[in-house]
Amino acid sequence: MNVLAEVEDTRKLEAFREEANAWIKANFPESLKSKLEEYYQNMPRYPDGADWALWKERVRDKGWGTPGWPKAYGGGGLSTVEARIVQQAFVACGAFNPMTGMGTSLLGPTLLEHGNEEQKKLHLTRVSRGEVVWCQGYSEPGAGSDLAGLQTKAEDKGDHYLVNGQKIWTSGSRFANWCFCLVRTDPKVKQEGISFLLIDMKTPGVEVRPIKTISGESPFSEVFFTDVKVPKENLVGQLNKGWTIAKRLLQFERNATDTRRRQLAGDTRPMDEIAKEYLGVDEKGRIADPDLRQRIVRHMMEFRALKLMQQRMLDETKAGQGPSEFTSVAKNARARIQQEREELLIEIFGQQGLGWGTSNGDKYKQIELDTTRAFFSNKAMTIFSGTTEVQNNIIAKRMLGLLDHQ
Ligand SMILES: Cc1cc2nc3c(=O)[nH]c(=O)nc-3n(C[C@H](O)[C@H](O)[C@H](O)COP(=O)(O)OP(=O)(O)OC[C@H]3O[C@@H](n4cnc5c(N)ncnc54)[C@H](O)[C@@H]3O)c2cc1C
């Protein structure tokens, strides 16, 4: 692209950013601003009420719940960069995308690549309209990092598959209408005996049992399948070829882990501003505590580097290459930097970082309560979407070309 065309392109994108911001500001109901944290905490407490329904309807009609998907499936038909601008505009305006979830971030892009036309029309359209919530049935008690060791089986019964087995850590399954599931369709081979199946959670034989966590939330459950009949048309791709689809979805998942969640929540001021408020400043106007000051500065530099890394991922996607194995690098970096953020904030807050609720008369600000809960819940970042160690193995093998130690 020549320089003039590039300038023109940038100008158009900036105009589009202004348009996106203006539309969100004009249409996001004021009352939902206070629901932001509930929404961030995600599955357990979806907001409801008239304003929530109105916001969903407006975003749905605009196609901006899934801005980058084709219009034929209810999307906005925007380019990758424009779609990213819309997502950024939600955050910049203190709003949120009401259609976010595993349907939009994981299943959708995977079906766009691997689904047949009927599956795309039916499922993508429902997701982009915010009509269904999806959950991910990958992990099992004996198959987490060693995912291909999964045992939940689907037997061919002529006109349907009969599914029996158990999944675990299934986020949002209590609220999900559908589950994209990995099942064993050939017990004799490991990776080549796995298929990718879409299961309606209302099917008889599906049972969901919640698991409580240290953060006080219950974001996930165990899911049991007993003689669950699944229509044959719910198989995505070919029988026994689900592993390739499963891995592709994991790349979308690591990509999504990097771009959502915490930046939507609470106080988004730079950390040095928050630190100055709590710790005071020295005679030069710097954060008073020199040790903490140094660690905060280092953290802010790393946070900035992370943003640039995310930009690189966007460029990859723009060039039609991504998401790639690079998502493993970004996932690990994001998890470490995010966990460090909460640790530093709690140190900055001092005793105010020990808040849990306001019912016993304790005086805690929202940012303090949010951070304490995020401190606990984000411990999981180094586990979900594949543990840090497993990402390191992927980086070692697929990016650095090192030998497999196993
Ligand atoms: C908050 C949260 C949400 C989740 N949501 C979902 C969901 O919606 N759907 C779903 O299917 N799953 C979900 N999971 C499950 C998640 O994907 C698994 O927990 C993860 O893949 C790790 O598997 P595991 O728990 O069985 O641990 P294990 O695989 O048993 O690992 C235990 C430890 O051993 C290490 N380890 C294992 N293998 C190796 C190796 N080869 N080399 C080096 N170290 C190794 C691991 O890094 C880890 O430290 C969720 C998990 C969490 C915490």
Side-chain angles (χ1 to χ4, degrees), residues 44-291:
R45 289 170 286 153
Y46 275 112
D48 51 20
D51 279 354
W52 166 246
L54 180 69
W55 177 227
K56 253 180 101 167
E57 193 183 302
R58 286 174 174 167
V59 174
R60 180 197 67 202
D61 292 346
K62 190 96 178 148
W64 279 9
T66 49
W69 293 8
K71 287 191 169 171
Y73 310 129
L78 300 176
S79 70
T80 313
V81 188
E82 287 168 334
R84 176 81 163 209
I85 287 175
V86 170
Q87 302 290 12
Q88 287 168 345
F90 282 124
V91 180
C93 299
F96 52 78
N97 181 347
M99 312 305 185
T100 185
M102 289 186 186
T104 49
S105 59
L106 309 186
L107 181 72
T110 310
L111 271 192
L112 278 169
E113 286 183 13
H114 293 277
N116 61 35
E117 197 48 36
E118 286 74 38
Q119 289 166 343
K120 288 189 215 172
K121 276 227 173 74
L122 177 67
H123 296 295
L124 296 182
T125 308
R126 282 180 182 166
V127 168
S128 61
R129 295 176 63 83
E131 290 167 356
V132 286
V133 174
W134 282 83
C135 64
Q136 175 187 36
Y138 271 36
S139 308
E140 298 183 9
S145 300
D146 181 22
L147 184 58
L150 61 97
Q151 296 300 324
T152 295
K153 62 176 178 183
E155 294 167 275
D156 190 338
K157 295 287 179 185
D159 65 337
H160 67 272
Y161 295 106
L162 193 67
V163 179
N164 277 286
Q166 183 199 342
K167 297 289 171 182
I168 195 165
W169 315 124
T170 322
S171 300
S173 44
R174 279 192 296 148
F175 307 91
N177 314 98
W178 280 77
C179 179
F180 51 89
C181 214
L182 295 181
V183 289
R184 180 149 300 288
T185 35
D186 185 344
K188 295 187 290 298
V189 270
K190 203 172 178 183
Q191 276 91 349
E192 291 302 307
I194 292 172
S195 300
F196 193 101
L197 212 53
L198 309 178
I199 301 183
D200 185 337
M201 294 293 278
K202 285 197 303 298
T203 321
V206 179
E207 191 199 343
V208 177
R209 295 187 205 155
I211 304 171
K212 276 242 165 172
T213 69
I214 193 174
S215 69
E217 299 287 345
S218 182
F220 37 44
S221 311
E222 296 174 285
V223 179
F224 295 85
F225 299 103
T226 312
D227 288 338
V228 176
K229 285 185 180 173
V230 180
K232 283 248 167 115
E233 64 259 29
N234 290 8
L235 176 76
V236 179
Q238 290 171 30
L239 192 70
N240 294 327
K241 298 287 176 214
W243 186 241
T244 308
I245 306 176
K247 282 192 298 181
R248 185 64 177 142
L249 186 136
L250 286 174
Q251 287 183 333
F252 289 121
E253 184 172 21
R254 282 157 204 155
N255 199 27
T257 308
D258 277 318
T259 49
R260 64 174 178 196
R261 289 176 86 87
R262 192 62 195 163
Q263 67 261 50
L264 291 177
D267 197 321
T268 50
R269 277 181 300 162
M271 191 183 280
D272 58 334
E273 275 182 32
I274 302 173
K276 281 177 185 169
E277 181 192 318
Y278 277 82
L279 304 170
V281 291
D282 66 10
E283 67 287 350
K284 289 187 177 157
R286 303 174 305 183
I287 299 165
D289 181 327
D291 169 54

Side-chain angles (χ1 to χ4, degrees), residues 305-322:
L306 181 73
K307 291 270 156 214
L308 293 172
M309 218 195 256
Q310 287 174 340
Q311 185 57 47
R312 178 176 160 183
M313 284 162 72
L314 177 64
D315 290 344
E316 255 189 0
T317 310
K318 251 166 68 184
Q321 301 154 354

